[in-house]
Amino acid sequence: MSATVLTRPPASTAPATPQPRRTRVLALPEARWAAAATAAFLAALAVQLAGGPGWASGALYAVAYLAGGWEPARAGLQALRERTLDVDLLMVVAAIGAVAIGQVLDGALLIVIFATSGALEALATARTADSVRGLLDLAPATACRIGADGREETVPTAGLAVGDVLLVRPGERIGADGRVLDGASDVDQATITGEPLPVARTAGDEVYAGTLNGTGALRVRVGRDAADTVIARIVALVEEASETKAPTQLFIEKVEQRYAAALVTATLLLFAVPLAFGAELTATLLRAMTFMIVASPCAVVLATMPPLLSAIANAGRHGVLVKSAVVMERLGQADTVALDKTGTLTEGTPRVTEVVPLAVPGEERPTEDELLALAAAAEHPSEHPLARAVVSAARGRGLAVPAADGFTSTPGVGVRALVGGAVVAVGAPGPYRTHPAVTGLEEAGRTAVLVLRDGEPVGVLGLADRPREQAATAVRGLAALTGRPPVLLTGDNQRAADRLAAEVGLTEVRGGLLPHDKLTAVRELADGGRRVLMVGDGVNDAPALAAAHTGVAMGRAGSDLALETADAVVVRDELTAVPAVVALSRRARRLVVQNLVIAGAFITVLAAWDLAGTLPLPLGVAGHEGSTVIVGLNGLRLLRERAWRRALPNEEGETR
């Protein structure tokens, strides 16, 4: 076997942290047109309120109509050619009708609302696409391939073939899925499996493209083509899941078609039939346009938006970003919750939970503080997450950490250093794995770290990823809202998952899941008639977040893909905010129903008056606008601080 010389990677090697690609807001034509329409509308309104010349406000209103209305008008005409109707076209027709009877302000406001909504939808779609494309940057663009003669060459990862042998140096990202031929290292696989700690990888172990190599060098045989790697499959799964439509969305589209067709038909009949019987043109047109105004869905749309937007604003003040009004409505429809473990229910960083001194033959048993200080001295130079946890625990107790010399680190084994004239080793239990102290900690779901002094075991440290402080309260709150305990879906081992589940009150646990396994679990729940709320934080959660009825990401340490794929983001990582926003959503939905009843009653009464008698135009406009004011004020109740406090679960998980 030819020797391989370890050298520094060339400058072209992909960086450890890829830079996200993000579409600028004004790069989207929908956003530019919406901004132009809004600016023109506000300027026209200012001129009108200031008593300025009519030609100036009229010209500005015309700009608002053209900027915000040409695109929905074009889409509506395209829909007509395909023999369908949509609300966008209906709004343009209603706006034109408003102009025809002198209600220019109402029509312009309607145009601006729909143009802004279309821009936000386009931005959300573009950002999700950016994040999916950016995920591929986790895998390096190039890799070091070892030829049959032992020579190294830098090649594009897209050109790697099954059977190629790669050299992965310390600190590099692995270029392809495969198996380790030789070498030993700790590999950070959090982007794929969600495991909170780097895992030891030696000959025969599987590794994944895009994961980060630790301090050792590895030779890896490529096992999959670039298009078939786990990271590439995650991208494909997210794209596939994002393209599917929820039943709620399909229902909304059906209602939109029927309402638009019915209103257009009724308006045309109201204009054409009286004319056919000799009615006067101006009066007939006035009645038809009045009907278009009072029966337009503008009042209904505004009846649904204030409660949802108020809930969004209130949630945003408390660290929960809900990406749209549709998402806010769907949050309250969830009847099953699926939770990720690492970084969601837990803090995502290991901590020392137990310090177990052992009896040493011929010596006095060390105290907990002495054992922890000894381990921290040996671990101090290391950058391994477990080492940082040990040092942090010693500092947290205010211990003096002795100086260490001759530090060495062996991937997958541990560290060794000279402390106070003794050789101290800290790491995997190895031959002492059957020691009662070690097995007791591991059976409790802890990671056991053995401390040896001059070859004799002097103690064992137990480390674990601690549950978030409010995890149990959040679990109880979600269970109370949905009527069943949440399901835990995690890439961690089953034993660690079971231990956490017992601590926070979960009963259904699925451990050892890869991203596609989580996606399958969510789809199985959905196929059983459940509306699944998925809560996660990592790249490995993204497919499940996209496939769920609603996805919520933990924002502080969440991956870019998870944040973009999710429908809502908990910015401050306060887990009790999840049941709170679900409860707030349900209150918003109740207000939506109230407002729809109010708006529907106004539309019914005013439309019936116009059809059965003569509805004065000023009274029709006043009734139409009055219903809007009433439902708007009713929806704004959710802006109050009290609404959020009532939505937060108490210790028993109940909301008030």
PDB file of all heavy atoms in Angstrom, residues 404-429:
ATOM      1  N   ALA A 404      -1.562  21.082  32.907  1.00  0.00           N
ATOM      2  CA  ALA A 404      -1.290  19.771  32.312  1.00  0.00           C
ATOM      3  C   ALA A 404      -0.197  19.908  31.270  1.00  0.00           C
ATOM      4  O   ALA A 404      -0.093  20.929  30.580  1.00  0.00           O
ATOM      5  CB  ALA A 404      -2.556  19.199  31.693  1.00  0.00           C
ATOM      6  N   ASP A 405       0.609  18.881  31.146  1.00  0.00           N
ATOM      7  CA  ASP A 405       1.679  18.847  30.147  1.00  0.00           C
ATOM      8  C   ASP A 405       1.524  17.583  29.304  1.00  0.00           C
ATOM      9  O   ASP A 405       0.851  16.620  29.688  1.00  0.00           O
ATOM     10  CB  ASP A 405       3.057  18.832  30.823  1.00  0.00           C
ATOM     11  CG  ASP A 405       3.306  20.087  31.657  1.00  0.00           C
ATOM     12  OD1 ASP A 405       3.020  21.182  31.143  1.00  0.00           O
ATOM     13  OD2 ASP A 405       3.764  19.951  32.819  1.00  0.00           O
ATOM     14  N   GLY A 406       2.191  17.596  28.138  1.00  0.00           N
ATOM     15  CA  GLY A 406       2.240  16.400  27.305  1.00  0.00           C
ATOM     16  C   GLY A 406       0.881  15.939  26.820  1.00  0.00           C
ATOM     17  O   GLY A 406       0.622  14.728  26.746  1.00  0.00           O
ATOM     18  N   PHE A 407       0.019  16.886  26.465  1.00  0.00           N
ATOM     19  CA  PHE A 407      -1.339  16.530  26.035  1.00  0.00           C
ATOM     20  C   PHE A 407      -1.321  15.798  24.693  1.00  0.00           C
ATOM     21  O   PHE A 407      -0.652  16.208  23.745  1.00  0.00           O
ATOM     22  CB  PHE A 407      -2.184  17.793  25.912  1.00  0.00           C
ATOM     23  CG  PHE A 407      -3.540  17.570  25.287  1.00  0.00           C
ATOM     24  CD1 PHE A 407      -4.595  17.112  26.059  1.00  0.00           C
ATOM     25  CD2 PHE A 407      -3.742  17.806  23.933  1.00  0.00           C
ATOM     26  CE1 PHE A 407      -5.842  16.907  25.492  1.00  0.00           C
ATOM     27  CE2 PHE A 407      -4.984  17.606  23.364  1.00  0.00           C
ATOM     28  CZ  PHE A 407      -6.038  17.153  24.143  1.00  0.00           C
ATOM     29  N   THR A 408      -2.075  14.698  24.604  1.00  0.00           N
ATOM     30  CA  THR A 408      -2.287  13.980  23.344  1.00  0.00           C
ATOM     31  C   THR A 408      -3.754  13.582  23.258  1.00  0.00           C
ATOM     32  O   THR A 408      -4.424  13.369  24.276  1.00  0.00           O
ATOM     33  CB  THR A 408      -1.422  12.708  23.240  1.00  0.00           C
ATOM     34  OG1 THR A 408      -1.738  11.832  24.331  1.00  0.00           O
ATOM     35  CG2 THR A 408       0.056  13.048  23.263  1.00  0.00           C
ATOM     36  N   SER A 409      -4.255  13.494  22.022  1.00  0.00           N
ATOM     37  CA  SER A 409      -5.651  13.125  21.795  1.00  0.00           C
ATOM     38  C   SER A 409      -5.723  12.023  20.753  1.00  0.00           C
ATOM     39  O   SER A 409      -5.067  12.112  19.706  1.00  0.00           O
ATOM     40  CB  SER A 409      -6.453  14.344  21.315  1.00  0.00           C
ATOM     41  OG  SER A 409      -7.771  13.983  20.982  1.00  0.00           O
ATOM     42  N   THR A 410      -6.509  10.996  21.038  1.00  0.00           N
ATOM     43  CA  THR A 410      -6.697   9.884  20.106  1.00  0.00           C
ATOM     44  C   THR A 410      -8.174   9.799  19.753  1.00  0.00           C
ATOM     45  O   THR A 410      -9.000   9.522  20.632  1.00  0.00           O
ATOM     46  CB  THR A 410      -6.246   8.551  20.730  1.00  0.00           C
ATOM     47  OG1 THR A 410      -4.900   8.672  21.167  1.00  0.00           O
ATOM     48  CG2 THR A 410      -6.376   7.418  19.719  1.00  0.00           C
ATOM     49  N   PRO A 411      -8.541  10.058  18.474  1.00  0.00           N
ATOM     50  CA  PRO A 411      -9.954  10.025  18.098  1.00  0.00           C
ATOM     51  C   PRO A 411     -10.605   8.694  18.456  1.00  0.00           C
ATOM     52  O   PRO A 411     -10.055   7.624  18.212  1.00  0.00           O
ATOM     53  CB  PRO A 411      -9.918  10.230  16.574  1.00  0.00           C
ATOM     54  CG  PRO A 411      -8.641  10.957  16.320  1.00  0.00           C
ATOM     55  CD  PRO A 411      -7.671  10.421  17.334  1.00  0.00           C
ATOM     56  N   GLY A 412     -11.787   8.791  19.042  1.00  0.00           N
ATOM     57  CA  GLY A 412     -12.524   7.597  19.406  1.00  0.00           C
ATOM     58  C   GLY A 412     -12.079   6.958  20.703  1.00  0.00           C
ATOM     59  O   GLY A 412     -12.713   6.013  21.182  1.00  0.00           O
ATOM     60  N   VAL A 413     -10.977   7.434  21.284  1.00  0.00           N
ATOM     61  CA  VAL A 413     -10.442   6.850  22.525  1.00  0.00           C
ATOM     62  C   VAL A 413     -10.495   7.859  23.661  1.00  0.00           C
ATOM     63  O   VAL A 413     -11.084   7.613  24.714  1.00  0.00           O
ATOM     64  CB  VAL A 413      -8.999   6.340  22.324  1.00  0.00           C
ATOM     65  CG1 VAL A 413      -8.444   5.809  23.642  1.00  0.00           C
ATOM     66  CG2 VAL A 413      -8.975   5.257  21.256  1.00  0.00           C
ATOM     67  N   GLY A 414      -9.873   9.031  23.481  1.00  0.00           N
ATOM     68  CA  GLY A 414      -9.881  10.047  24.514  1.00  0.00           C
ATOM     69  C   GLY A 414      -8.597  10.843  24.535  1.00  0.00           C
ATOM     70  O   GLY A 414      -7.864  10.902  23.536  1.00  0.00           O
ATOM     71  N   VAL A 415      -8.302  11.453  25.683  1.00  0.00           N
ATOM     72  CA  VAL A 415      -7.124  12.302  25.816  1.00  0.00           C
ATOM     73  C   VAL A 415      -6.230  11.755  26.924  1.00  0.00           C
ATOM     74  O   VAL A 415      -6.665  10.981  27.787  1.00  0.00           O
ATOM     75  CB  VAL A 415      -7.522  13.764  26.128  1.00  0.00           C
ATOM     76  CG1 VAL A 415      -8.421  14.320  25.051  1.00  0.00           C
ATOM     77  CG2 VAL A 415      -8.197  13.872  27.491  1.00  0.00           C
ATOM     78  N   ARG A 416      -4.975  12.202  26.877  1.00  0.00           N
ATOM     79  CA  ARG A 416      -4.001  11.803  27.892  1.00  0.00           C
ATOM     80  C   ARG A 416      -3.103  13.002  28.159  1.00  0.00           C
ATOM     81  O   ARG A 416      -2.718  13.719  27.228  1.00  0.00           O
ATOM     82  CB  ARG A 416      -3.184  10.616  27.385  1.00  0.00           C
ATOM     83  CG  ARG A 416      -2.161  10.064  28.385  1.00  0.00           C
ATOM     84  CD  ARG A 416      -1.364   8.927  27.731  1.00  0.00           C
ATOM     85  NE  ARG A 416      -2.239   7.825  27.357  1.00  0.00           N
ATOM     86  CZ  ARG A 416      -2.508   6.790  28.141  1.00  0.00           C
ATOM     87  NH1 ARG A 416      -1.964   6.734  29.346  1.00  0.00           N
ATOM     88  NH2 ARG A 416      -3.284   5.819  27.728  1.00  0.00           N
ATOM     89  N   ALA A 417      -2.774  13.224  29.441  1.00  0.00           N
ATOM     90  CA  ALA A 417      -1.908  14.349  29.799  1.00  0.00           C
ATOM     91  C   ALA A 417      -1.239  14.055  31.136  1.00  0.00           C
ATOM     92  O   ALA A 417      -1.687  13.189  31.908  1.00  0.00           O
ATOM     93  CB  ALA A 417      -2.711  15.650  29.873  1.00  0.00           C
ATOM     94  N   LEU A 418      -0.156  14.798  31.404  1.00  0.00           N
ATOM     95  CA  LEU A 418       0.571  14.675  32.671  1.00  0.00           C
ATOM     96  C   LEU A 418       0.062  15.762  33.612  1.00  0.00           C
ATOM     97  O   LEU A 418       0.228  16.954  33.359  1.00  0.00           O
ATOM     98  CB  LEU A 418       2.069  14.828  32.421  1.00  0.00           C
ATOM     99  CG  LEU A 418       2.998  14.469  33.592  1.00  0.00           C
ATOM    100  CD1 LEU A 418       2.877  12.991  33.939  1.00  0.00           C
ATOM    101  CD2 LEU A 418       4.441  14.826  33.239  1.00  0.00           C
ATOM    102  N   VAL A 419      -0.581  15.339  34.714  1.00  0.00           N
ATOM    103  CA  VAL A 419      -1.169  16.274  35.679  1.00  0.00           C
ATOM    104  C   VAL A 419      -0.614  15.962  37.061  1.00  0.00           C
ATOM    105  O   VAL A 419      -0.802  14.858  37.585  1.00  0.00           O
ATOM    106  CB  VAL A 419      -2.715  16.171  35.703  1.00  0.00           C
ATOM    107  CG1 VAL A 419      -3.292  17.171  36.697  1.00  0.00           C
ATOM    108  CG2 VAL A 419      -3.296  16.389  34.319  1.00  0.00           C
ATOM    109  N   GLY A 420       0.117  16.920  37.656  1.00  0.00           N
ATOM    110  CA  GLY A 420       0.674  16.732  38.989  1.00  0.00           C
ATOM    111  C   GLY A 420       1.592  15.528  39.097  1.00  0.00           C
ATOM    112  O   GLY A 420       1.598  14.835  40.122  1.00  0.00           O
ATOM    113  N   GLY A 421       2.341  15.244  38.053  1.00  0.00           N
ATOM    114  CA  GLY A 421       3.277  14.129  38.063  1.00  0.00           C
ATOM    115  C   GLY A 421       2.658  12.781  37.745  1.00  0.00           C
ATOM    116  O   GLY A 421       3.367  11.768  37.689  1.00  0.00           O
ATOM    117  N   ALA A 422       1.338  12.718  37.506  1.00  0.00           N
ATOM    118  CA  ALA A 422       0.657  11.460  37.182  1.00  0.00           C
ATOM    119  C   ALA A 422       0.093  11.545  35.767  1.00  0.00           C
ATOM    120  O   ALA A 422      -0.311  12.610  35.299  1.00  0.00           O
ATOM    121  CB  ALA A 422      -0.461  11.178  38.177  1.00  0.00           C
ATOM    122  N   VAL A 423       0.049  10.388  35.106  1.00  0.00           N
ATOM    123  CA  VAL A 423      -0.532  10.320  33.763  1.00  0.00           C
ATOM    124  C   VAL A 423      -2.041  10.133  33.915  1.00  0.00           C
ATOM    125  O   VAL A 423      -2.505   9.130  34.461  1.00  0.00           O
ATOM    126  CB  VAL A 423       0.075   9.163  32.946  1.00  0.00           C
ATOM    127  CG1 VAL A 423      -0.611   9.071  31.585  1.00  0.00           C
ATOM    128  CG2 VAL A 423       1.578   9.356  32.779  1.00  0.00           C
ATOM    129  N   VAL A 424      -2.784  11.124  33.434  1.00  0.00           N
ATOM    130  CA  VAL A 424      -4.244  11.094  33.534  1.00  0.00           C
ATOM    131  C   VAL A 424      -4.830  10.872  32.141  1.00  0.00           C
ATOM    132  O   VAL A 424      -4.496  11.596  31.197  1.00  0.00           O
ATOM    133  CB  VAL A 424      -4.785  12.405  34.137  1.00  0.00           C
ATOM    134  CG1 VAL A 424      -6.315  12.382  34.175  1.00  0.00           C
ATOM    135  CG2 VAL A 424      -4.213  12.617  35.535  1.00  0.00           C
ATOM    136  N   ALA A 425      -5.683   9.868  32.036  1.00  0.00           N
ATOM    137  CA  ALA A 425      -6.377   9.581  30.777  1.00  0.00           C
ATOM    138  C   ALA A 425      -7.873   9.737  30.997  1.00  0.00           C
ATOM    139  O   ALA A 425      -8.417   9.265  32.000  1.00  0.00           O
ATOM    140  CB  ALA A 425      -6.058   8.173  30.294  1.00  0.00           C
ATOM    141  N   VAL A 426      -8.536  10.409  30.052  1.00  0.00           N
ATOM    142  CA  VAL A 426      -9.984  10.630  30.127  1.00  0.00           C
ATOM    143  C   VAL A 426     -10.577  10.258  28.773  1.00  0.00           C
ATOM    144  O   VAL A 426     -10.130  10.764  27.738  1.00  0.00           O
ATOM    145  CB  VAL A 426     -10.326  12.095  30.457  1.00  0.00           C
ATOM    146  CG1 VAL A 426     -11.835  12.272  30.612  1.00  0.00           C
ATOM    147  CG2 VAL A 426      -9.599  12.564  31.710  1.00  0.00           C
ATOM    148  N   GLY A 427     -11.561   9.357  28.777  1.00  0.00           N
ATOM    149  CA  GLY A 427     -12.160   8.982  27.501  1.00  0.00           C
ATOM    150  C   GLY A 427     -13.106   7.821  27.616  1.00  0.00           C
ATOM    151  O   GLY A 427     -13.727   7.585  28.668  1.00  0.00           O
ATOM    152  N   ALA A 428     -13.219   7.066  26.529  1.00  0.00           N
ATOM    153  CA  ALA A 428     -14.139   5.938  26.464  1.00  0.00           C
ATOM    154  C   ALA A 428     -13.765   4.878  27.493  1.00  0.00           C
ATOM    155  O   ALA A 428     -12.581   4.676  27.791  1.00  0.00           O
ATOM    156  CB  ALA A 428     -14.136   5.348  25.060  1.00  0.00           C
ATOM    157  N   PRO A 429     -14.771   4.169  28.036  1.00  0.00           N
ATOM    158  CA  PRO A 429     -14.486   3.169  29.079  1.00  0.00           C
ATOM    159  C   PRO A 429     -13.600   2.030  28.611  1.00  0.00           C
ATOM    160  O   PRO A 429     -12.853   1.457  29.408  1.00  0.00           O
ATOM    161  CB  PRO A 429     -15.884   2.663  29.469  1.00  0.00           C
ATOM    162  CG  PRO A 429     -16.806   3.766  29.083  1.00  0.00           C
ATOM    163  CD  PRO A 429     -16.217   4.381  27.855  1.00  0.00           C
TER     164      PRO A 429
END
